[in-house]
Amino acid sequence: MGLVKVNRCWNYKTYDLALLAGTDFLEKLGEILDEAGKNGWELAHMNDRFMVLKQLFRFDEEPR
């Protein structure tokens, strides 16, 4: 099983960054982005209010 690039079916997630506000903002953001990257998500857009992640990879159940 591994990550396989998906070219036709993209999924998107939106995160409200206001919920992460505080002195440990960067640590929380880093944890979210680390976990997202492990699951095939990449940052598509970010501003001071929200960020959008785009799923470019999916798990392939069949070994190759």
Side-chain angles (χ1 to χ4, degrees), residues 9-48:
C9 51
W10 292 335
N11 294 316
Y12 292 90
K13 283 185 183 179
T14 303
Y15 285 92
D16 183 3
L17 296 179
L19 301 175
L20 302 178
T23 57
D24 57 346
F25 172 78
L26 291 179
E27 288 81 14
K28 290 179 184 176
L29 181 62
E31 289 174 9
I32 290 173
L33 291 174
D34 285 343
E35 189 62 32
K38 291 176 187 175
N39 293 311
W41 294 86
E42 292 185 0
L43 185 63
H45 178 77
M46 183 174 174
N47 64 22
D48 61 336

Side-chain angles (χ1 to χ4, degrees), residues 44-57:
H45 178 77
M46 183 174 174
N47 64 22
D48 61 336
R49 293 180 294 161
F50 65 90
M51 73 175 171
V52 178
L53 299 177
K54 181 178 181 179
Q55 188 176 30
L56 298 177
F57 300 91

